[in-house]
Amino acid sequence: METQLYPGIAFSPVAALTDNIGAGDTIIPVSDAESFPPAPNLATIGADEEGETILYAAKTAAALSGCTRGVEGTARAWSAGEPIARNWTAKDHADLIAAVREAKEGSDPAGTAAAALEGHQEDTAAHGALFAAKQDKLTGQPGQVVGFDGMGQAYAVPGWSNPNLLINADFRNPVNRNGKTSYSGGGPTIDGWQAYAGAPVVSLEDGAIKFSKGDWGQPLRIKGILPGTYTMSALASGGNFAAFSFSIPAGSGPATYYFDIPGTNLRMTFAYKWIVQSHLFYLTNNSDADDARVIAAKLERGPIQTLAHQDADGNWVLNDPPDYDLQYALCSLYSP
């Protein structure tokens, strides 16, 4: 059966519950039904990790109705005034992956893609006992790319990995629909990424992104990012790697979190509730003399980075690259 994809709505406007609801209620009164796309579609209630995703079958001027409760999270009672919005969800992410796989398999009647996926699943099962003790510390899905050896050290196998909140962030083979090898003058560059302060010159070079002094970053597609712990990480040329975890308290106002990448002139920054309550991840090259080269970056939920691992010699090695077709689909949805 073809996976159902539910459309989003620009800027994820937030409404509120106008009355108390119980865990079994299927009609959910909202302050502004225009904040939600046409039915059927998804909505999230709450503003933290205890939230609930619902699927609504219809909507009126004042309510979402025919609701399936607890699509993600647990169906529970909510009080009037709780925020509710059409935010990007883990279900959207999983469904998009499934749809891309279905499209691949539809163009592959010989079944090569299905056979590869089956083999990948078997490999995952074989490694299951090896990293089961670590699964509770990560928020990824089975079949992803970070495992752990008998000593608890991370290494690249089909295992557990957190989704990247950034899109098109593996610069060894980025989506670049404009087709240019160099961008100047500020504004959009490769898909999803823009030049900001200082208008750095941005180039694709030797499996990395090179940019001159200034800020280069990505406005996040997720407006309603929840409070909690996040980790940002980046691998620069020369094997220079950094990861930094930070916590966003519930009800937090605008804030910035940043960390310098050792051995470079680079700084990575996450700006929370940046302009008009959006969010921005960006990299800064602080040097007039040196162009910075970045190989990959990641922003993920939780206190553990899953972008890269160290090999036996202590060198930082990226985990398996993301699915290029999925990144292309995400860029098509979220980039100009």
Side-chain angles (χ1 to χ4, degrees):
M1 182 175 69
E2 185 175 328
T3 299
Q4 171 74 55
L5 296 178
Y6 300 101
I9 187 168
F11 310 116
S12 303
V14 179
L17 301 181
T18 56
D19 201 353
N20 299 338
I21 60 171
D25 287 342
T26 60
I27 298 176
I28 298 180
V30 296
S31 60
D32 181 10
E34 294 302 314
S35 295
F36 303 89
N41 216 302
L42 302 169
T44 60
I45 310 174
D48 57 27
E49 291 87 345
E50 301 301 319
E52 177 187 352
T53 300
I54 65 164
L55 172 64
Y56 58 91
K59 70 170 188 170
T60 65
L64 308 178
S65 61
C67 295
T68 301
R69 302 291 301 277
V71 174
E72 293 173 328
T74 302
R76 47 168 281 195
W78 293 94
S79 300
E82 283 287 349
I84 179 170
R86 175 53 175 109
N87 291 317
W88 176 263
T89 69
K91 176 174 171 57
D92 289 303
H93 185 86
D95 287 348
L96 186 56
I97 292 173
V100 170
R101 286 178 174 166
E102 288 167 4
K104 281 186 175 180
E105 291 168 7
S107 62
D108 181 23
T112 304
L117 178 60
E118 181 179 355
H120 179 71
Q121 291 168 336
E122 291 170 356
D123 194 24
T124 299
H127 285 282
L130 193 62
F131 53 78
K134 297 290 183 179
Q135 293 177 356
D136 60 340
K137 295 185 178 180
L138 300 175
T139 61
Q141 299 296 321
Q144 294 175 318
V145 297
V146 176
F148 298 85
D149 62 20
M151 300 298 292
Q153 299 298 311
Y155 73 120
V157 297
W160 288 86
S161 180
N162 294 328
N164 197 344
L165 298 179
L166 306 174
I167 62 173
N168 198 30
D170 187 323
F171 309 127
R172 295 171 293 180
N173 182 32
V175 178
N176 183 29
R177 290 179 295 168
N178 286 328
K180 298 180 181 180
T181 58
S182 182
Y183 297 86
S184 60
T189 60
I190 64 169
D191 288 69
W193 296 82
Q194 299 189 41
Y196 290 103
V201 176
V202 179
S203 304
L204 286 73
E205 182 178 296
D206 298 330
I209 291 291
K210 180 181 77 171
F211 63 102
S212 59
K213 185 176 181 180
D215 297 336
W216 181 70
Q218 179 176 131
L220 266 66
R221 65 191 184 277
I222 306 174
K223 179 183 178 184
I225 195 168
L226 299 177
T229 301
Y230 295 83
T231 299
M232 55 183 173
S233 53
L235 177 64
S237 58
N240 294 298
F241 177 82
F244 177 69
S245 297
F246 56 94
S247 294
I248 300 175
S252 174
T256 57
Y257 307 87
Y258 59 86
F259 193 75
D260 293 329
I261 302 176
T264 73
N265 294 302
L266 282 170
R267 168 175 287 182
M268 54 183 174
T269 301
F270 177 66
Y272 178 65
K273 292 186 178 178
W274 178 60
I275 298 172
V276 294
Q277 302 295 292
S278 186
H279 316 296
L280 175 68
F281 173 89
Y282 63 97
L283 294 157
T284 302
N285 178 10
N286 290 307
S287 172
D288 281 315
D290 298 321
D291 286 342
R293 289 171 175 81
V294 185
I295 300 169
K298 190 166 189 177
L299 175 68
E300 56 195 301
R301 292 188 65 87
I304 299 173
Q305 72 81 19
T306 58
L307 174 65
H309 63 279
Q310 287 182 290
D311 63 16
D313 296 324
N315 300 311
W316 285 102
V317 180
L318 289 173
N319 298 323
D320 292 345
D323 186 312
Y324 181 87
D325 290 342
L326 173 59
Q327 295 303 304
Y328 192 98
L330 289 169
C331 289
S332 299
L333 283 172
Y334 297 109
S335 297

